Amino acid sequence: MGPWLVPLVLAIFTFGTADFVVAGILRELAEGIGRSESVTGQLVTVYSIVYAVSAPVAAVLTSRVPRRRLAVYGMALFIAGNAVAAVTTSYEVLLVSRVASAMAAAAVTPMCFAAAGTVPPEGQRGRVLGVLSGGIMLAQLLGVPLGTWFGSMWGWQAAFWMCVGLGALVLASMLALLPELELPPTAGLRERLAPVTRGPVLRGLSAMMVLSAGSMMMMTYIAPISSAAGGVGTGGIAVLFVFAGLAGVVATQVGGVASDKLGPLRTVAIGAGVLVAVMAALSAMVIWGSTPFWMLVVLVMFMAFAIGMLNPPLAAWLLGRAGRSGNEVMALNASAMYLGTSLGGVLGGLLLSLYGPASLPLLAVGETVLVVLLVVTAGGRSPRGGSGSAPGGPSQAQVAPRTSQAA
């Protein structure tokens, strides 16, 4: 690993913060623009949908744009979008600004993960992917609470100005630390999208979508689950989120290292086994209804740890089968995560209303088993013959000699 990784992690952290910060300032923002909270909340939905749709399209359209230039242009658009959001009180203008920010994130994020899977030596790729995944967890643990606090202290505009500042920091670090990454060999659209049509990649993307659906379902409805399990109130739920965030940050690093040492499939099996056990225990605790708070904290931490541990090996496994289309596959991976997030909220709400909170962990057990089955039965090997290596090798993405030494 080297200094080139710093701007990539900062970018992932910044995009994650910008995505979810609206949830933290929802009440103040709704009052400020004169709309209901339900309507204002669609600013999050729009961001997610635009991101999911734009990521694979941007990956194809920008395939011949130099990576460093793409990153700089993307961050400039992100900064502009959030600056507009900070100075307007028009809901329609806010929607447009969120679209711009989401398109910028959709263009840059896949490039970050593709670089993490190709620049480092093969034995370090899972670890680097884990560091990048940690940026997402840090956004939920630090970025969103900080933006919420800014919004409560200085008005909702302060949260968007914070995103502008973060974007400027990312842009400066990219100009200073991000080297030129060589473009992949020239290929036609059909050739670049060929891995996406293969069974193993499709199954891997489906596994990521199912994992995202299950994890977001559990985190979205952790309040009714913990309330039913042990009568936890608002203050206790905040504590649960903090400990879950801390466990998730640690888990992404553990998952990355384990992916390098044990291989992606074994790491997925371990993380899935832990997650199934925790979900079964949570369901039992809901039925019991008198769970001590400390026990819920432990269970939620293990849940977040297992979820965080699964992301890096799944990303490494996908990159190992992407060939020269790593950027396109990572773009679709990001889309799958956002689509899964939306699906998890819908499924969770439906089950909660029909069968109660005990049904949510049980569904998560089924989703976790499905993730393992999708990956294990996918078959296929990477284009270079390895079962879990990242794509391409030197011809896929290289850095200048000075950066190769630093990595």
Side-chain angles (χ1 to χ4, degrees), residues 176-202:
L177 301 175
L178 189 65
E180 288 289 352
L181 302 174
E182 289 189 8
L183 292 172
T186 303
L189 179 61
R190 179 178 299 180
E191 186 178 357
R192 296 193 65 82
L193 294 180
V196 179
T197 64
R198 297 172 189 155
V201 172
L202 287 176

Side-chain angles (χ1 to χ4, degrees), residues 8-21 51 105 109-110 112-113 128-145 208 212 215-216 241 244-250 252-253 307-308 311-312 315 330 333-335 337-338 341:
L8 304 187
V9 175
L10 284 175
I12 299 301
F13 169 78
T14 299
F15 295 148
T17 299
D19 184 7
F20 298 112
V21 75
Y51 186 108
T109 300
C112 295
F113 278 94
V128 173
L129 286 167
V131 172
L132 278 186
S133 298
I136 301 174
M137 296 292 182
L138 276 175
Q140 300 177 17
L141 177 65
L142 179 62
V144 174
M208 186 62 79
S212 299
S215 60
M216 183 52 64
F241 271 109
L246 290 171
V249 170
V250 174
T252 54
Q253 313 312 306
I307 292 171
N311 278 287
M330 284 296 96
N333 181 57
S335 295
M337 291 173 64
Y338 273 80
T341 296

Side-chain angles (χ1 to χ4, degrees), residues 222-296:
I222 194 65
I225 292 172
S226 58
S227 177
V232 179
T234 304
I237 292 169
V239 173
L240 290 178
F241 271 109
V242 170
F243 279 101
L246 290 171
V249 170
V250 174
T252 54
Q253 313 312 306
V254 174
V257 173
S259 180
D260 287 334
K261 294 185 177 297
L262 303 177
L265 291 181
R266 289 181 181 176
T267 306
V268 167
I270 293 171
V274 173
L275 189 55
V276 166
V278 173
M279 291 301 98
L282 266 178
S283 186
M285 295 303 101
V286 171
I287 296 173
W288 178 25
S290 300
T291 311
F293 182 67
W294 67 266
M295 188 177 295
L296 281 175

Side-chain angles (χ1 to χ4, degrees), residues 345-367:
V346 173
L347 284 176
L350 183 62
L351 257 69
L352 185 64
S353 62
L354 293 177
Y355 304 108
S359 63
L360 300 183
L362 291 179
L363 176 60
V365 168
E367 289 172 329

Side-chain angles (χ1 to χ4, degrees), residues 25-37 40 156:
I25 58 171
L26 185 60
R27 181 175 302 174
E28 294 84 356
L29 179 56
E31 293 176 355
I33 63 176
R35 298 295 179 102
S36 68
E37 291 186 13
T40 305
W156 59 266

